Amino acid sequence: NDEKVERAIRMGMLAVLADSTRDETLRDVGIDRARGVIAALATDADNLFLILSAKNLNPDIRVSTRVGEEASETKMRRAGADAVYMPYSTAGYRLAQSILRPHVFEFLDVTSTATAMGMNVGIEQIEITPSSPVAGKSLAELKLRTLLGIIVLAIRRRSGQMEFNPAAEAVPNPGDFLIVMGSAEDVRKLESIVASGTRV
């Protein structure tokens, strides 16, 4: 849609008017350097074609897609999609939760849209690198809440296991991700510590 592309460019975004299901287009926009692709085209068939093309050109790329029909989810995952979302199903669930568990829903909604609402709180993921001073130390030793005001909600282990509300004795290892909540400034401090090797 050339009108939408022009509007995006005027707003300062990077945009290309081309067919994203074509290999040449994906190569032109740097698919080999990309970390991820969001497949949100008009039909499930187009999204499936895009996923197959993207994964063929960059097998390590992470792909998220939406589906219109429930039966398409399995096909998308077989094609290599890492995350599949059904907009109508998700919206229906959120509407139900806003009635059944309004306070839980409000908390999750605030933490996911805090930045857009001008609030200084959010949830972030931080990868533990082999050189990080955080690696190999227990959460009790790190004292992230005391020193930085950071709450560790979970540890996503390298194996894929999600360890919710980890115990004080839990030890983050290289390849793990800390799922944390805190102010934007405190989260940036933790990211800097993890990346730079500064001692906590």
Short mmCIF file of all heavy atoms in Angstrom, two decimals, residues 7-76:
data_model
loop_
_atom_site.label_atom_id
_atom_site.label_comp_id
_atom_site.label_asym_id
_atom_site.label_seq_id
_atom_site.Cartn_x
_atom_site.Cartn_y
_atom_site.Cartn_z
N ARG A 7 3.19 7.42 4.26
CA ARG A 7 2.85 7.98 5.58
C ARG A 7 3.86 7.52 6.63
O ARG A 7 4.29 8.31 7.48
CB ARG A 7 1.44 7.57 5.98
CG ARG A 7 0.96 8.26 7.24
CD ARG A 7 -0.55 8.20 7.41
NE ARG A 7 -1.03 6.86 7.65
CZ ARG A 7 -1.83 6.18 6.82
NH1 ARG A 7 -2.21 6.73 5.69
NH2 ARG A 7 -2.23 4.97 7.12
N ALA A 8 4.26 6.27 6.58
CA ALA A 8 5.25 5.74 7.53
C ALA A 8 6.59 6.47 7.39
O ALA A 8 7.21 6.83 8.39
CB ALA A 8 5.43 4.25 7.31
N ILE A 9 7.00 6.70 6.16
CA ILE A 9 8.27 7.40 5.90
C ILE A 9 8.20 8.83 6.42
O ILE A 9 9.15 9.32 7.04
CB ILE A 9 8.62 7.36 4.40
CG1 ILE A 9 8.95 5.92 3.98
CG2 ILE A 9 9.79 8.29 4.10
CD1 ILE A 9 9.13 5.73 2.49
N ARG A 10 7.05 9.50 6.20
CA ARG A 10 6.88 10.87 6.71
C ARG A 10 6.96 10.91 8.23
O ARG A 10 7.37 11.91 8.81
CB ARG A 10 5.54 11.45 6.24
CG ARG A 10 5.52 11.88 4.78
CD ARG A 10 4.36 12.82 4.49
NE ARG A 10 3.07 12.22 4.83
CZ ARG A 10 2.34 11.51 3.96
NH1 ARG A 10 2.77 11.31 2.73
NH2 ARG A 10 1.18 11.01 4.34
N MET A 11 6.57 9.83 8.88
CA MET A 11 6.59 9.77 10.34
C MET A 11 7.97 9.36 10.88
O MET A 11 8.15 9.21 12.08
CB MET A 11 5.53 8.78 10.85
CG MET A 11 4.10 9.24 10.57
SD MET A 11 2.86 7.96 10.95
CE MET A 11 3.07 7.82 12.72
N GLY A 12 8.93 9.18 9.96
CA GLY A 12 10.29 8.86 10.38
C GLY A 12 10.59 7.38 10.47
O GLY A 12 11.63 6.98 11.02
N MET A 13 9.69 6.55 9.98
CA MET A 13 9.92 5.10 10.02
C MET A 13 10.66 4.64 8.77
O MET A 13 10.69 5.34 7.76
CB MET A 13 8.58 4.35 10.10
CG MET A 13 7.72 4.71 11.28
SD MET A 13 6.14 3.84 11.21
CE MET A 13 5.26 4.63 12.57
N LEU A 14 11.25 3.46 8.87
CA LEU A 14 11.87 2.84 7.69
C LEU A 14 10.81 1.99 7.01
O LEU A 14 10.17 1.16 7.65
CB LEU A 14 13.06 1.97 8.11
CG LEU A 14 14.24 2.70 8.75
CD1 LEU A 14 15.27 1.70 9.23
CD2 LEU A 14 14.86 3.67 7.75
N ALA A 15 10.61 2.21 5.74
CA ALA A 15 9.57 1.48 5.02
C ALA A 15 9.98 1.23 3.58
O ALA A 15 10.72 2.03 2.99
CB ALA A 15 8.26 2.25 5.06
N VAL A 16 9.53 0.12 3.02
CA VAL A 16 9.83 -0.23 1.63
C VAL A 16 8.53 -0.67 0.97
O VAL A 16 7.78 -1.47 1.54
CB VAL A 16 10.86 -1.39 1.56
CG1 VAL A 16 11.06 -1.83 0.12
CG2 VAL A 16 12.18 -0.97 2.18
N LEU A 17 8.27 -0.17 -0.21
CA LEU A 17 7.09 -0.58 -0.98
C LEU A 17 7.49 -1.77 -1.84
O LEU A 17 8.14 -1.61 -2.87
CB LEU A 17 6.59 0.59 -1.85
CG LEU A 17 5.33 0.31 -2.67
CD1 LEU A 17 4.15 -0.02 -1.76
CD2 LEU A 17 5.02 1.50 -3.56
N ALA A 18 7.13 -2.96 -1.40
CA ALA A 18 7.52 -4.17 -2.12
C ALA A 18 6.70 -5.35 -1.61
O ALA A 18 5.99 -5.25 -0.61
CB ALA A 18 9.01 -4.45 -1.92
N ASP A 19 6.81 -6.46 -2.30
CA ASP A 19 6.12 -7.69 -1.93
C ASP A 19 7.00 -8.48 -0.97
O ASP A 19 8.04 -9.03 -1.36
CB ASP A 19 5.82 -8.50 -3.20
CG ASP A 19 5.06 -9.79 -2.89
OD1 ASP A 19 4.87 -10.11 -1.70
OD2 ASP A 19 4.67 -10.48 -3.86
N SER A 20 6.59 -8.56 0.29
CA SER A 20 7.44 -9.19 1.31
C SER A 20 7.48 -10.72 1.22
O SER A 20 8.24 -11.36 1.94
CB SER A 20 6.98 -8.78 2.71
OG SER A 20 5.63 -9.17 2.91
N THR A 21 6.68 -11.31 0.34
CA THR A 21 6.74 -12.76 0.18
C THR A 21 7.81 -13.17 -0.84
O THR A 21 8.07 -14.36 -1.01
CB THR A 21 5.38 -13.33 -0.27
OG1 THR A 21 5.05 -12.81 -1.56
CG2 THR A 21 4.29 -12.99 0.73
N ARG A 22 8.43 -12.18 -1.49
CA ARG A 22 9.45 -12.48 -2.51
C ARG A 22 10.85 -12.50 -1.88
O ARG A 22 11.21 -11.62 -1.09
CB ARG A 22 9.41 -11.44 -3.64
CG ARG A 22 8.12 -11.46 -4.43
CD ARG A 22 8.10 -10.34 -5.47
NE ARG A 22 9.19 -10.49 -6.43
CZ ARG A 22 9.14 -11.24 -7.53
NH1 ARG A 22 8.02 -11.91 -7.79
NH2 ARG A 22 10.16 -11.32 -8.35
N ASP A 23 11.64 -13.49 -2.25
CA ASP A 23 12.99 -13.62 -1.71
C ASP A 23 13.85 -12.39 -2.01
O ASP A 23 14.64 -11.96 -1.17
CB ASP A 23 13.68 -14.86 -2.30
CG ASP A 23 13.13 -16.17 -1.74
OD1 ASP A 23 12.24 -16.10 -0.88
OD2 ASP A 23 13.59 -17.24 -2.17
N GLU A 24 13.68 -11.81 -3.20
CA GLU A 24 14.49 -10.64 -3.57
C GLU A 24 14.21 -9.48 -2.62
O GLU A 24 15.13 -8.75 -2.24
CB GLU A 24 14.18 -10.19 -5.01
CG GLU A 24 14.30 -11.27 -6.06
CD GLU A 24 13.02 -12.07 -6.23
OE1 GLU A 24 12.03 -11.55 -6.76
OE2 GLU A 24 13.03 -13.24 -5.79
N THR A 25 12.95 -9.30 -2.25
CA THR A 25 12.59 -8.22 -1.32
C THR A 25 13.24 -8.44 0.03
O THR A 25 13.82 -7.52 0.62
CB THR A 25 11.06 -8.15 -1.14
OG1 THR A 25 10.46 -7.90 -2.41
CG2 THR A 25 10.69 -7.04 -0.17
N LEU A 26 13.15 -9.67 0.52
CA LEU A 26 13.72 -9.99 1.83
C LEU A 26 15.23 -9.79 1.83
O LEU A 26 15.80 -9.27 2.80
CB LEU A 26 13.37 -11.42 2.23
CG LEU A 26 11.87 -11.69 2.45
CD1 LEU A 26 11.64 -13.17 2.74
CD2 LEU A 26 11.33 -10.84 3.58
N ARG A 27 15.89 -10.17 0.73
CA ARG A 27 17.34 -9.95 0.63
C ARG A 27 17.66 -8.46 0.61
O ARG A 27 18.60 -8.01 1.26
CB ARG A 27 17.90 -10.61 -0.64
CG ARG A 27 17.94 -12.12 -0.58
CD ARG A 27 18.80 -12.69 -1.71
NE ARG A 27 18.66 -14.13 -1.82
CZ ARG A 27 17.82 -14.74 -2.67
NH1 ARG A 27 17.09 -14.02 -3.50
NH2 ARG A 27 17.74 -16.05 -2.71
N ASP A 28 16.85 -7.68 -0.14
CA ASP A 28 17.10 -6.23 -0.26
C ASP A 28 17.00 -5.52 1.09
O ASP A 28 17.71 -4.55 1.34
CB ASP A 28 16.11 -5.60 -1.24
CG ASP A 28 16.42 -5.96 -2.69
OD1 ASP A 28 17.54 -6.45 -2.95
OD2 ASP A 28 15.53 -5.77 -3.55
N VAL A 29 16.10 -5.98 1.96
CA VAL A 29 15.93 -5.30 3.26
C VAL A 29 16.84 -5.89 4.35
O VAL A 29 16.76 -5.48 5.50
CB VAL A 29 14.45 -5.33 3.73
CG1 VAL A 29 13.57 -4.58 2.75
CG2 VAL A 29 13.97 -6.75 3.95
N GLY A 30 17.71 -6.85 3.97
CA GLY A 30 18.70 -7.35 4.91
C GLY A 30 18.24 -8.49 5.79
O GLY A 30 18.56 -8.54 6.98
N ILE A 31 17.52 -9.45 5.22
CA ILE A 31 17.01 -10.58 5.99
C ILE A 31 18.14 -11.37 6.65
O ILE A 31 17.99 -11.93 7.73
CB ILE A 31 16.16 -11.52 5.09
CG1 ILE A 31 15.44 -12.59 5.92
CG2 ILE A 31 17.02 -12.19 4.03
CD1 ILE A 31 14.30 -12.07 6.73
N ASP A 32 19.32 -11.37 6.00
CA ASP A 32 20.46 -12.13 6.55
C ASP A 32 20.99 -11.52 7.84
O ASP A 32 21.63 -12.20 8.64
CB ASP A 32 21.59 -12.21 5.51
CG ASP A 32 22.05 -10.84 5.05
OD1 ASP A 32 21.19 -9.97 4.80
OD2 ASP A 32 23.27 -10.63 4.95
N ARG A 33 20.72 -10.20 8.08
CA ARG A 33 21.19 -9.52 9.29
C ARG A 33 20.09 -9.36 10.33
O ARG A 33 20.35 -8.90 11.43
CB ARG A 33 21.74 -8.13 8.94
CG ARG A 33 22.85 -8.15 7.91
CD ARG A 33 23.42 -6.74 7.71
NE ARG A 33 22.40 -5.74 7.42
CZ ARG A 33 21.91 -5.49 6.20
NH1 ARG A 33 22.35 -6.21 5.17
NH2 ARG A 33 21.01 -4.55 6.01
N ALA A 34 18.87 -9.70 9.96
CA ALA A 34 17.72 -9.44 10.83
C ALA A 34 17.67 -10.41 12.00
O ALA A 34 18.02 -11.57 11.88
CB ALA A 34 16.43 -9.54 10.02
N ARG A 35 17.21 -9.88 13.15
CA ARG A 35 17.02 -10.72 14.34
C ARG A 35 15.64 -11.35 14.34
O ARG A 35 15.43 -12.40 14.93
CB ARG A 35 17.19 -9.88 15.60
CG ARG A 35 18.62 -9.43 15.83
CD ARG A 35 18.72 -8.50 17.01
NE ARG A 35 18.22 -9.12 18.22
CZ ARG A 35 18.04 -8.47 19.37
NH1 ARG A 35 18.28 -7.18 19.44
NH2 ARG A 35 17.59 -9.10 20.43
N GLY A 36 14.68 -10.68 13.69
CA GLY A 36 13.32 -11.20 13.74
C GLY A 36 12.46 -10.69 12.61
O GLY A 36 12.78 -9.69 11.96
N VAL A 37 11.35 -11.39 12.38
CA VAL A 37 10.36 -11.01 11.38
C VAL A 37 8.97 -11.15 12.00
O VAL A 37 8.69 -12.14 12.68
CB VAL A 37 10.43 -11.92 10.13
CG1 VAL A 37 9.22 -11.72 9.23
CG2 VAL A 37 11.68 -11.66 9.33
N ILE A 38 8.14 -10.13 11.79
CA ILE A 38 6.73 -10.21 12.20
C ILE A 38 5.91 -10.39 10.93
O ILE A 38 5.90 -9.51 10.06
CB ILE A 38 6.29 -8.95 12.95
CG1 ILE A 38 7.09 -8.80 14.25
CG2 ILE A 38 4.79 -9.01 13.25
CD1 ILE A 38 6.86 -7.50 14.98
N ALA A 39 5.26 -11.54 10.81
CA ALA A 39 4.44 -11.83 9.63
C ALA A 39 3.00 -11.49 9.97
O ALA A 39 2.32 -12.23 10.68
CB ALA A 39 4.58 -13.31 9.25
N ALA A 40 2.53 -10.35 9.45
CA ALA A 40 1.17 -9.89 9.73
C ALA A 40 0.50 -9.45 8.44
O ALA A 40 -0.05 -8.36 8.34
CB ALA A 40 1.20 -8.75 10.74
N LEU A 41 0.56 -10.32 7.44
CA LEU A 41 -0.04 -10.03 6.14
C LEU A 41 -1.54 -10.33 6.16
O LEU A 41 -2.08 -10.80 7.15
CB LEU A 41 0.67 -10.83 5.05
CG LEU A 41 2.18 -10.53 4.93
CD1 LEU A 41 2.84 -11.47 3.93
CD2 LEU A 41 2.42 -9.08 4.55
N ALA A 42 -2.21 -10.07 5.05
CA ALA A 42 -3.67 -10.14 5.00
C ALA A 42 -4.22 -11.55 5.18
O ALA A 42 -5.29 -11.73 5.76
CB ALA A 42 -4.16 -9.54 3.68
N THR A 43 -3.49 -12.55 4.68
CA THR A 43 -4.03 -13.92 4.75
C THR A 43 -3.03 -14.86 5.42
O THR A 43 -1.82 -14.61 5.44
CB THR A 43 -4.34 -14.46 3.35
OG1 THR A 43 -3.10 -14.67 2.64
CG2 THR A 43 -5.23 -13.50 2.57
N ASP A 44 -3.56 -15.96 5.95
CA ASP A 44 -2.70 -16.98 6.55
C ASP A 44 -1.76 -17.58 5.51
O ASP A 44 -0.60 -17.91 5.81
CB ASP A 44 -3.55 -18.10 7.18
CG ASP A 44 -4.27 -17.64 8.44
OD1 ASP A 44 -3.98 -16.52 8.91
OD2 ASP A 44 -5.12 -18.39 8.95
N ALA A 45 -2.23 -17.71 4.27
CA ALA A 45 -1.41 -18.28 3.20
C ALA A 45 -0.20 -17.38 2.92
O ALA A 45 0.93 -17.88 2.77
CB ALA A 45 -2.24 -18.45 1.94
N ASP A 46 -0.41 -16.07 2.88
CA ASP A 46 0.70 -15.14 2.65
C ASP A 46 1.69 -15.19 3.81
O ASP A 46 2.91 -15.16 3.60
CB ASP A 46 0.19 -13.71 2.47
CG ASP A 46 -0.43 -13.49 1.09
OD1 ASP A 46 -0.16 -14.31 0.19
OD2 ASP A 46 -1.16 -12.50 0.94
N ASN A 47 1.18 -15.23 5.02
CA ASN A 47 2.06 -15.30 6.19
C ASN A 47 2.88 -16.59 6.18
O ASN A 47 4.06 -16.59 6.50
CB ASN A 47 1.24 -15.21 7.49
CG ASN A 47 0.79 -13.79 7.78
OD1 ASN A 47 1.47 -12.83 7.46
ND2 ASN A 47 -0.38 -13.67 8.38
N LEU A 48 2.24 -17.69 5.81
CA LEU A 48 2.95 -18.97 5.73
C LEU A 48 4.07 -18.91 4.71
O LEU A 48 5.20 -19.35 4.96
CB LEU A 48 1.95 -20.08 5.37
CG LEU A 48 2.51 -21.51 5.31
CD1 LEU A 48 3.04 -21.94 6.68
CD2 LEU A 48 1.43 -22.47 4.83
N PHE A 49 3.79 -18.31 3.55
CA PHE A 49 4.78 -18.18 2.49
C PHE A 49 5.95 -17.31 2.95
O PHE A 49 7.12 -17.62 2.70
CB PHE A 49 4.13 -17.58 1.24
CG PHE A 49 4.90 -17.84 -0.01
CD1 PHE A 49 4.72 -19.00 -0.73
CD2 PHE A 49 5.82 -16.92 -0.48
CE1 PHE A 49 5.44 -19.25 -1.89
CE2 PHE A 49 6.55 -17.16 -1.64
CZ PHE A 49 6.35 -18.33 -2.34
N LEU A 50 5.63 -16.23 3.66
CA LEU A 50 6.67 -15.33 4.17
C LEU A 50 7.56 -16.05 5.19
O LEU A 50 8.79 -15.92 5.15
CB LEU A 50 6.03 -14.10 4.82
CG LEU A 50 6.97 -13.15 5.58
CD1 LEU A 50 8.13 -12.69 4.72
CD2 LEU A 50 6.18 -11.94 6.12
N ILE A 51 6.96 -16.82 6.08
CA ILE A 51 7.73 -17.57 7.09
C ILE A 51 8.69 -18.54 6.42
O ILE A 51 9.87 -18.63 6.78
CB ILE A 51 6.78 -18.31 8.05
CG1 ILE A 51 5.99 -17.32 8.90
CG2 ILE A 51 7.56 -19.27 8.95
CD1 ILE A 51 4.82 -17.95 9.64
N LEU A 52 8.18 -19.29 5.45
CA LEU A 52 9.03 -20.26 4.75
C LEU A 52 10.20 -19.57 4.06
O LEU A 52 11.35 -20.04 4.12
CB LEU A 52 8.20 -21.03 3.72
CG LEU A 52 7.19 -22.04 4.28
CD1 LEU A 52 6.24 -22.52 3.20
CD2 LEU A 52 7.91 -23.21 4.94
N SER A 53 9.94 -18.44 3.42
CA SER A 53 10.99 -17.71 2.72
C SER A 53 12.02 -17.16 3.70
O SER A 53 13.23 -17.27 3.50
CB SER A 53 10.39 -16.55 1.91
OG SER A 53 9.54 -17.03 0.90
N ALA A 54 11.54 -16.55 4.80
CA ALA A 54 12.43 -15.95 5.78
C ALA A 54 13.32 -17.00 6.43
O ALA A 54 14.53 -16.80 6.58
CB ALA A 54 11.62 -15.21 6.85
N LYS A 55 12.74 -18.13 6.81
CA LYS A 55 13.51 -19.19 7.46
C LYS A 55 14.50 -19.84 6.50
O LYS A 55 15.59 -20.28 6.92
CB LYS A 55 12.57 -20.26 8.04
CG LYS A 55 11.90 -19.85 9.34
CD LYS A 55 12.90 -19.86 10.48
CE LYS A 55 12.23 -19.65 11.82
NZ LYS A 55 13.18 -19.70 12.96
N ASN A 56 14.15 -19.89 5.23
CA ASN A 56 15.05 -20.44 4.23
C ASN A 56 16.27 -19.54 4.04
O ASN A 56 17.40 -20.03 3.89
CB ASN A 56 14.33 -20.61 2.90
CG ASN A 56 15.22 -21.21 1.82
OD1 ASN A 56 15.79 -22.28 2.00
ND2 ASN A 56 15.35 -20.51 0.71
N LEU A 57 16.06 -18.22 4.08
CA LEU A 57 17.15 -17.27 3.87
C LEU A 57 17.95 -17.01 5.15
O LEU A 57 19.12 -16.63 5.08
CB LEU A 57 16.59 -15.94 3.34
CG LEU A 57 15.94 -16.03 1.95
CD1 LEU A 57 15.20 -14.73 1.64
CD2 LEU A 57 16.99 -16.32 0.89
N ASN A 58 17.33 -17.18 6.30
CA ASN A 58 18.00 -16.97 7.58
C ASN A 58 17.42 -17.94 8.61
O ASN A 58 16.48 -17.60 9.32
CB ASN A 58 17.83 -15.51 8.04
CG ASN A 58 18.58 -15.23 9.33
OD1 ASN A 58 19.08 -16.13 9.99
ND2 ASN A 58 18.65 -13.96 9.70
N PRO A 59 17.97 -19.15 8.69
CA PRO A 59 17.41 -20.19 9.58
C PRO A 59 17.37 -19.80 11.05
O PRO A 59 16.57 -20.34 11.81
CB PRO A 59 18.36 -21.38 9.36
CG PRO A 59 18.99 -21.13 8.03
CD PRO A 59 19.11 -19.64 7.92
N ASP A 60 18.23 -18.86 11.47
CA ASP A 60 18.29 -18.49 12.88
C ASP A 60 17.33 -17.36 13.26
O ASP A 60 17.23 -16.99 14.43
CB ASP A 60 19.71 -18.06 13.25
CG ASP A 60 20.71 -19.19 13.09
OD1 ASP A 60 20.32 -20.35 13.35
OD2 ASP A 60 21.85 -18.93 12.69
N ILE A 61 16.63 -16.82 12.28
CA ILE A 61 15.77 -15.66 12.55
C ILE A 61 14.56 -16.09 13.40
O ILE A 61 14.06 -17.21 13.28
CB ILE A 61 15.29 -15.03 11.23
CG1 ILE A 61 14.87 -13.58 11.45
CG2 ILE A 61 14.17 -15.83 10.59
CD1 ILE A 61 14.73 -12.79 10.17
N ARG A 62 14.13 -15.19 14.30
CA ARG A 62 12.95 -15.44 15.12
C ARG A 62 11.73 -14.87 14.39
O ARG A 62 11.76 -13.75 13.92
CB ARG A 62 13.09 -14.82 16.50
CG ARG A 62 11.90 -15.08 17.41
CD ARG A 62 12.15 -14.67 18.84
NE ARG A 62 10.96 -14.89 19.65
CZ ARG A 62 10.59 -16.06 20.16
NH1 ARG A 62 11.35 -17.11 19.94
NH2 ARG A 62 9.49 -16.18 20.87
N VAL A 63 10.67 -15.68 14.31
CA VAL A 63 9.48 -15.27 13.57
C VAL A 63 8.25 -15.30 14.46
O VAL A 63 7.98 -16.29 15.14
CB VAL A 63 9.25 -16.20 12.35
CG1 VAL A 63 7.96 -15.81 11.64
CG2 VAL A 63 10.43 -16.15 11.40
N SER A 64 7.51 -14.19 14.44
CA SER A 64 6.20 -14.12 15.09
C SER A 64 5.16 -13.87 14.01
O SER A 64 5.41 -13.11 13.07
CB SER A 64 6.15 -12.97 16.10
OG SER A 64 7.01 -13.22 17.19
N THR A 65 4.01 -14.51 14.14
CA THR A 65 2.97 -14.34 13.13
C THR A 65 1.59 -14.34 13.76
O THR A 65 1.42 -14.80 14.89
CB THR A 65 3.05 -15.45 12.06
OG1 THR A 65 2.15 -15.17 11.00
CG2 THR A 65 2.71 -16.81 12.65
N ARG A 66 0.64 -13.81 13.03
CA ARG A 66 -0.75 -13.88 13.45
C ARG A 66 -1.48 -14.84 12.51
O ARG A 66 -1.08 -15.01 11.35
CB ARG A 66 -1.40 -12.51 13.43
CG ARG A 66 -1.65 -11.97 12.04
CD ARG A 66 -2.44 -10.69 12.06
NE ARG A 66 -2.72 -10.25 10.68
CZ ARG A 66 -3.09 -9.03 10.38
NH1 ARG A 66 -3.21 -8.13 11.32
NH2 ARG A 66 -3.33 -8.71 9.12
N VAL A 67 -2.54 -15.45 13.00
CA VAL A 67 -3.35 -16.33 12.17
C VAL A 67 -4.82 -15.94 12.32
O VAL A 67 -5.25 -15.50 13.38
CB VAL A 67 -3.17 -17.83 12.53
CG1 VAL A 67 -1.78 -18.30 12.18
CG2 VAL A 67 -3.46 -18.08 14.01
N GLY A 68 -5.56 -16.14 11.26
CA GLY A 68 -6.98 -15.85 11.30
C GLY A 68 -7.79 -17.07 11.67
O GLY A 68 -8.85 -16.98 12.28
N GLU A 69 -7.27 -18.26 11.30
CA GLU A 69 -7.98 -19.50 11.58
C GLU A 69 -7.16 -20.39 12.49
O GLU A 69 -5.95 -20.53 12.33
CB GLU A 69 -8.26 -20.24 10.27
CG GLU A 69 -9.16 -19.46 9.31
CD GLU A 69 -9.41 -20.22 8.02
OE1 GLU A 69 -9.22 -21.45 8.02
OE2 GLU A 69 -9.79 -19.58 7.03
N GLU A 70 -7.84 -21.01 13.44
CA GLU A 70 -7.17 -21.85 14.44
C GLU A 70 -6.41 -23.00 13.79
O GLU A 70 -5.33 -23.39 14.23
CB GLU A 70 -8.22 -22.40 15.41
CG GLU A 70 -7.63 -23.06 16.65
CD GLU A 70 -8.68 -23.42 17.67
OE1 GLU A 70 -9.83 -22.96 17.54
OE2 GLU A 70 -8.34 -24.17 18.61
N ALA A 71 -6.96 -23.53 12.69
CA ALA A 71 -6.33 -24.67 12.01
C ALA A 71 -4.97 -24.30 11.42
O ALA A 71 -4.15 -25.17 11.14
CB ALA A 71 -7.25 -25.18 10.91
N SER A 72 -4.71 -23.01 11.23
CA SER A 72 -3.44 -22.58 10.62
C SER A 72 -2.28 -22.57 11.60
O SER A 72 -1.12 -22.55 11.18
CB SER A 72 -3.60 -21.17 10.04
OG SER A 72 -4.59 -21.14 9.04
N GLU A 73 -2.56 -22.60 12.90
CA GLU A 73 -1.50 -22.47 13.90
C GLU A 73 -0.46 -23.57 13.75
O GLU A 73 0.75 -23.30 13.75
CB GLU A 73 -2.07 -22.49 15.32
CG GLU A 73 -1.00 -22.36 16.38
CD GLU A 73 -1.56 -22.30 17.79
OE1 GLU A 73 -2.79 -22.33 17.95
OE2 GLU A 73 -0.74 -22.24 18.73
N THR A 74 -0.90 -24.82 13.62
CA THR A 74 0.04 -25.94 13.49
C THR A 74 0.91 -25.80 12.26
O THR A 74 2.12 -26.06 12.31
CB THR A 74 -0.74 -27.28 13.42
OG1 THR A 74 -1.56 -27.39 14.58
CG2 THR A 74 0.22 -28.46 13.37
N LYS A 75 0.32 -25.36 11.15
CA LYS A 75 1.09 -25.18 9.92
C LYS A 75 2.15 -24.11 10.09
O LYS A 75 3.28 -24.26 9.60
CB LYS A 75 0.15 -24.81 8.77
CG LYS A 75 -0.82 -25.91 8.38
CD LYS A 75 -1.75 -25.46 7.28
CE LYS A 75 -2.77 -26.53 6.94
NZ LYS A 75 -3.74 -26.07 5.93
N MET A 76 1.80 -23.02 10.76
CA MET A 76 2.76 -21.94 10.98
C MET A 76 3.95 -22.42 11.81
O MET A 76 5.09 -22.08 11.53
CB MET A 76 2.08 -20.76 11.70
CG MET A 76 0.95 -20.13 10.91
SD MET A 76 1.50 -19.34 9.37
CE MET A 76 -0.03 -18.59 8.84
#
